[in-house]
Amino acid sequence: VKNAGLRVWRFDHLPFEQFAFAPYQRSTFKSPVMDLSNGYESYLKAVNDKSKSLTSANARRRRALEREIGPVALEWNSSRSEDFRRVIDWKTEQYRRTGGRELFSDPTALQIAEEVAASSAEDCSGIVHILLVGERPIATGFNIMGPSGLSGWFGVYDPEFGDFSPGTMMYLALAEEASNRGVSQIDLGGGEQPYKLKLATGSYTLAKGAVYASRAEDESRKLYRRMRALRTRMREA
């Protein structure tokens, strides 16, 4: 960190098993996954054991879309620039609607996303997938394919189709196609959003924390956090 000219490096999706970082970990949390190691049908059975209504409701909504508009289909990966741009534009609109941080207003963040989207390396390649009704995109995502499977990064849908749960529809279609391609896992990313918990059939532990270039600053930060925790306990007492 010091040699890179940084004062601190903060991490929030570090695999818990990287024990070299144990002294710098502040908290842990779960990253839900869709386990496809035994095939798509086995995954669906595990999902139905948790909630039988999820897949039946998805099938009902899919049939409704096909009656009203046209066939529902997943395009696994598009190399068209306009499809990547759609992910960015729709996600930016979502940030604005929900009051989230507009990540892609940072040119560096956008450049990193563009480079990953263009990558076809075996250990890290960008996947832009699209859920179509007829010829109209209703959900899209930009994920990363790596040696351990597919990792979710950005997923977003057209709000006009919100009543049909297009995000869930897309992920179930993605799981079926991924399984057909030999992918054993879809990592939904850290967090306990309701859709992740419904789709997940397993999880693993991640850690948050920070590495400071200065040991003195690291110790002062630890002292500050302990004092803040103590004040919180005293107020609650």
Side-chain angles (χ1 to χ4, degrees):
V1 172
K2 185 183 295 183
N3 289 342
L6 301 176
R7 188 172 62 87
V8 60
W9 174 60
R10 302 182 193 279
F11 56 85
D12 63 4
H13 273 69
L14 187 81
F16 178 72
E17 292 78 8
Q18 293 192 15
F19 297 115
F21 290 91
Y24 309 101
Q25 294 176 3
R26 294 180 186 168
S27 62
T28 60
F29 60 102
K30 296 294 184 180
S31 185
V33 300
M34 302 165 72
D35 183 3
L36 306 173
S37 58
N38 294 316
Y40 180 66
E41 294 303 322
S42 177
Y43 163 75
L44 276 189
K45 183 180 183 303
V47 169
N48 282 326
D49 287 344
K50 293 196 308 176
S51 172
K52 287 184 170 58
S53 64
L54 180 67
T55 55
S56 60
N58 179 72
R60 185 172 64 253
R61 290 166 181 147
R62 182 167 179 151
R63 288 193 299 269
L65 279 173
E66 291 181 332
R67 283 195 308 269
E68 295 175 20
I69 303 176
V72 175
L74 178 80
E75 182 173 354
W76 170 254
N77 185 26
S78 169
S79 60
R80 296 182 295 272
S81 60
E82 60 267 28
D83 292 327
F84 170 75
R85 191 69 240 181
R86 183 184 299 112
V87 178
I88 303 302
D89 291 344
W90 282 14
K91 198 66 182 178
T92 299
E93 280 300 314
Q94 183 189 63
Y95 290 145
R96 290 171 183 166
R97 287 196 309 271
T98 60
R101 182 170 65 93
E102 294 186 24
L103 175 64
F104 297 114
S105 61
D106 180 348
T108 302
L110 180 58
Q111 181 182 350
I112 291 171
E114 289 171 340
E115 290 178 0
V116 174
S119 171
S120 58
E122 288 187 7
D123 60 343
C124 179
S125 61
I127 302 288
V128 177
H129 51 266
I130 310 163
L131 187 70
L132 298 151
V133 178
E135 296 183 356
R136 180 170 180 179
I138 64 168
T140 185
F142 173 34
N143 292 339
I144 299 174
M145 179 68 77
S148 61
L150 191 64
S151 295
W153 205 5
F154 301 105
V156 64
Y157 61 84
D158 185 342
E160 184 178 333
F161 292 86
D163 291 343
F164 293 92
S165 297
T168 297
M169 195 177 298
M170 178 177 66
Y171 271 105
L172 289 174
L174 190 64
E176 183 173 15
E177 180 62 24
S179 179
N180 292 338
R181 291 171 177 266
V183 177
S184 62
Q185 176 179 283
I186 297 178
D187 187 333
L188 296 172
E192 297 188 349
Q193 292 91 331
Y195 83 91
K196 292 183 180 181
L197 298 180
K198 289 178 182 177
L199 291 167
T201 52
S203 65
Y204 65 100
T205 304
L206 295 172
K208 295 181 180 181
V211 180
Y212 286 88
S214 164
R215 183 177 297 274
E217 185 166 3
D218 188 20
E219 292 301 322
S220 67
R221 291 282 180 173
K222 290 178 181 177
L223 177 60
Y224 168 75
R225 289 194 296 274
R226 287 197 296 269
M227 294 298 294
R228 187 171 61 180
L230 178 60
R231 286 197 298 269
T232 300
R233 289 197 297 269
M234 292 176 64
R235 284 197 299 268
E236 293 173 350

